[in-house]
Amino acid sequence: MLTYQIALSFFGIAILLALAPGPDNLFVLMQAALWGKAAGMVVVLGLCTGLIGHTVAVAVGLAAVFATSETAFMVLKLAGAAYLLYLAWGAFRAPAMAATDAGKAPRLPYGTLYRRGIIMNLTNPKVSLFFLAFLPQFTTPTRGSVALQTVSLGALFMLATLLVFGAIAFFSGAFGQMLQRSVRAQQWLNRVAGVVFVGLALRLVFSQR
């Protein structure tokens, strides 16, 4: 089992890593700005669900496949890039819809947003490789099952992600709701979201292991 000191130090590092600018927190920021605070939180839950997959992959050794197979790494990152380009296309084509008179912003189904978070996370092979390199540094066979320790570390990382990304979703969603009262601002928000998604796709395509 993890010691208190190891768990606390790992959690602190995970908070700092979640705060560092990256594709996932930028993705949360744009989705919350487009669809609101609650929608942003749903995306965050989807991303955290994706982290479960990466944690299990490290625990069973599946992530090592992506570390050694250039083909597997290429296929997964191209799939992720294609999905981001699909989101960009949708953002560019989205009609400008200002908030209603009741002050409610246009909504996207939560199920769709949740799936976006999961797919965004799972199709990023860099996350698997990061977990493969990062989590084992905090495990020791003498403290019991390494797989159980890995799962515990993954849970702590998810908690850190939930706290940091949740804060991003809250504040970005509040700002986005103000912009959504203007059709013109909504048009620019959709365009910015499209550009951001294209940029994330290109970053993923040209990423190296």
Side-chain angles (χ1 to χ4, degrees), residues 68-122:
T68 57
S69 172
E70 184 66 34
T71 300
F73 181 83
M74 180 65 68
V75 168
L76 192 58
K77 77 173 185 177
L78 289 179
Y83 183 68
L84 285 167
L85 290 175
Y86 165 75
L87 295 182
W89 174 249
F92 284 130
R93 296 178 66 249
M97 298 172 60
T100 64
D101 293 335
K104 294 183 179 179
R107 291 176 179 254
L108 199 65
Y110 287 158
T112 299
L113 291 162
Y114 181 68
R115 287 192 297 272
R116 283 187 179 185
I118 295 176
I119 296 171
M120 173 67 183
N121 193 270
L122 287 180

